[in-house]
Amino acid sequence: MKKVAIIGAGIGGISTAIRLAHKGFEVSVFEANSYAGGKLSSFDLNGYRFDAGPSLFTLPNLVEELFELVGKNPKEYFEYIKLPDICHYFWEDATKLTAWAENERFAKEVEDVTGEPAQKILDFLKDSAFKYEVLDGLFLQDSLHKLSTWTSAKALKGYLNLPKLGIFGTMNDANEKLFKNPKIVQLFNRYATYNGSDPYQTPATLNIIPHLEYNIGAFFPKKGMVSITNSLVKLAEDLGVQFFYESKVEEILVEKDKVSGIRYSNISEKNISKAYDIVVSNMDVTPTYRKLMPNQKHPDRLLNQPKSSSGVIFYWGIKKQFAELGLHNIFFSDDYQQEFNTMFQEKTICKAPTVYINITSKLKPDDAPEGCENWFVLINAPANEGQNWDKIIADTRQNVIQKVSRILGENIGDLIECEEILDPRTIESKTSSAQGALYGNSSNNRYAAFLRHANFSSKIKNLYFVGGSVHPGGGIPLAISSAKIAAKYIQV
């Protein structure tokens, strides 16, 4: 039986472990932290529970597929609900809008609140579905680095519809052409942040993203986002996968252009070398090369690409409940373009940024003490390039409290009874994400899809890559998809 070492127990690594164990490999997962999940983990603080990272759950079928693949009932491991309301939006001029899951209701809400014709919303969502249908099979389920992908029937369909896919214009340009109300342009522009991009630079192709929420649905795991991780770890263990925590891989061993194993250290031993037939890295591709294979040739053109955005996250225990807030909430900035310019050109956070607040206690009351709420407060931030983060964080904290207090009419600062902070530096140290970027390389140009590393090495035999820094991209669905693509090419 061939042995596989997977570096990192992020969602991509765990998904790969399940698929390879099902194929008959002996799989070992090495994780530097004491817990699985990477960004998709959780922690407790003074009676509050917080999901540490991703807060939106879409395409649950990708998770269920892993259970069904091995003949298991997903409901025995994992349960979730579909959200009736996707997001609550707030603007500085007191405009409020609820994005309902039912499209006609959402479109009517938009028309009633902003005057933007409901039919324009429905047309946009129909076009988003069309783009997704064309691109899903081509870009999201296959490798872009195999000739067979480009000569397939799916590729032909893509070629025939190329002018309709938005490759040649920006997301903002496309949205401004369709919508007259700037608030609705801003609402749909925000989906560029789902892969850490700038809507004023990234291709309109990314207008496929709203399809996931509006046409398929947004969901919530009954036991919190971390239950995605926990359920998949349990499944992997049931299949015989071994997880080694607090085990940091120091080097990928290569002999004659072929992997031969790994060298790792744990809390009791240092520099342990172990032979493996196949190595899969769920670690960000940049430190995989720079730190784990310093003597191998590096694909510098890819590794040196500009990084996606990162984030500053405040985890706040709030000693009050707010009826007007839901699970997902957005407090928009007044000058969205300047906000992105500040982030990607000036490499800092603007004075009045857009604020995202996720409150899982709305649907899982035991995540906060009675009468309280657990606020996950995310502000988009540039990747780490040595900025004075202590000052940026202090200024941003004050600005966020002032902004949210102003819109909600309540002094939020007085309601914070406990706090934890995550910033690009700690994201980098805890998850091995290059520069703390949440989604690997930036997608701020039309060639971004081709500037991600393949799911396999073309130079080193039996070396594979999964996770958000490689094809097809960042976020839970794409990380799971990366595992499916990689596993397809790993043969027993």
Side-chain angles (χ1 to χ4, degrees), residues 212-480:
L212 305 184
E213 289 186 19
Y214 291 97
N215 296 324
I216 298 176
F219 304 85
F220 179 74
K222 289 184 177 181
K223 294 183 180 179
M225 293 294 289
V226 72
S227 65
I228 300 172
T229 295
N230 294 341
S231 64
L232 292 179
V233 168
K234 177 66 166 59
L235 176 62
E237 290 176 337
D238 288 349
L239 294 172
V241 175
Q242 287 190 298
F243 287 82
F244 297 91
Y245 297 106
E246 297 182 285
S247 297
K248 183 179 180 181
V249 175
E250 310 280 2
E251 184 182 2
I252 296 173
L253 304 177
V254 178
E255 295 180 6
K256 297 181 180 179
D257 297 326
K258 180 180 179 181
V259 297
S260 59
I262 60 170
R263 179 174 59 82
Y264 69 99
S265 299
N266 57 35
I267 55 177
S268 58
E269 296 183 87
K270 304 295 182 185
N271 297 319
I272 309 161
S273 293
K274 198 166 184 179
Y276 285 95
D277 301 292
I278 294 162
V279 173
V280 181
S281 180
N282 183 206
M283 190 178 186
D284 185 298
V285 68
T286 300
T288 296
Y289 276 101
R290 304 286 194 222
K291 296 181 179 180
L292 304 189
M293 297 186 291
N295 299 320
Q296 302 299 321
K297 185 175 181 180
H298 298 169
D300 291 322
R301 188 174 71 88
L302 293 182
L303 303 187
N304 293 333
Q305 287 295 313
K307 301 306 178 188
S308 77
S309 65
S310 182
V312 169
I313 304 173
F314 300 99
Y315 305 94
W316 287 339
I318 300 291
K319 52 185 178 182
K320 182 177 177 177
Q321 294 181 335
F322 289 82
E324 63 266 51
L325 300 180
L327 175 65
H328 302 294
N329 309 274
I330 294 284
F331 295 77
F332 274 123
S333 65
D334 275 344
D335 192 337
Y336 215 35
Q337 186 163 12
Q338 182 56 46
E339 179 177 352
F340 284 94
N341 287 339
T342 301
M343 180 162 51
F344 285 105
Q345 273 72 56
E346 300 175 29
K347 309 297 184 182
T348 189
I349 298 173
C350 69
K351 292 182 179 180
T354 294
V355 179
Y356 166 72
I357 301 178
N358 173 250
I359 311 171
T360 61
S361 60
K362 292 289 185 181
L363 297 178
K364 189 174 177 292
D366 61 351
D367 280 355
E370 187 175 353
C372 303
E373 294 179 342
N374 62 332
W375 284 20
F376 168 106
V377 183
L378 168 67
I379 300 89
N380 292 315
N384 180 25
E385 295 185 15
Q387 298 94 321
N388 184 348
W389 285 109
D390 291 338
K391 181 175 181 355
I392 292 173
I393 291 166
D395 291 346
T396 299
R397 184 182 189 276
Q398 182 179 2
N399 293 336
V400 168
I401 289 174
Q402 290 176 351
K403 178 187 181 78
V404 177
S405 298
R406 187 167 57 248
I407 293 175
L408 292 182
E410 183 91 26
N411 189 338
I412 300 302
D414 291 343
L415 301 176
I416 300 171
E417 63 175 357
C418 61
E419 176 182 71
E420 191 68 52
I421 300 173
L422 191 68
D423 65 69
R425 298 168 301 182
T426 45
I427 291 171
E428 184 169 17
S429 64
K430 288 183 177 182
T431 67
S432 294
S433 301
Q435 299 176 231
L438 293 174
Y439 306 95
N441 288 348
S442 164
S443 294
N444 287 336
N445 66 71
R446 71 182 64 171
Y447 306 109
F450 308 100
L451 296 175
R452 287 187 174 274
H453 197 287
N455 302 105
F456 54 88
S457 171
S458 59
K459 305 294 184 183
I460 301 172
K461 189 176 180 181
N462 294 342
L463 175 62
Y464 298 84
F465 302 88
V466 298
S469 70
V470 297
H471 179 73
I476 297 171
L478 298 188
I480 295 174

Side-chain angles (χ1 to χ4, degrees), residues 167-187:
I167 294 173
F168 304 109
T170 69
M171 174 184 276
N172 178 72
D173 287 345
N175 292 342
E176 282 191 336
K177 287 178 183 177
L178 181 59
F179 304 116
K180 292 184 178 179
N181 190 293
K183 287 183 170 63
I184 304 308
V185 174
Q186 186 178 35
L187 189 155

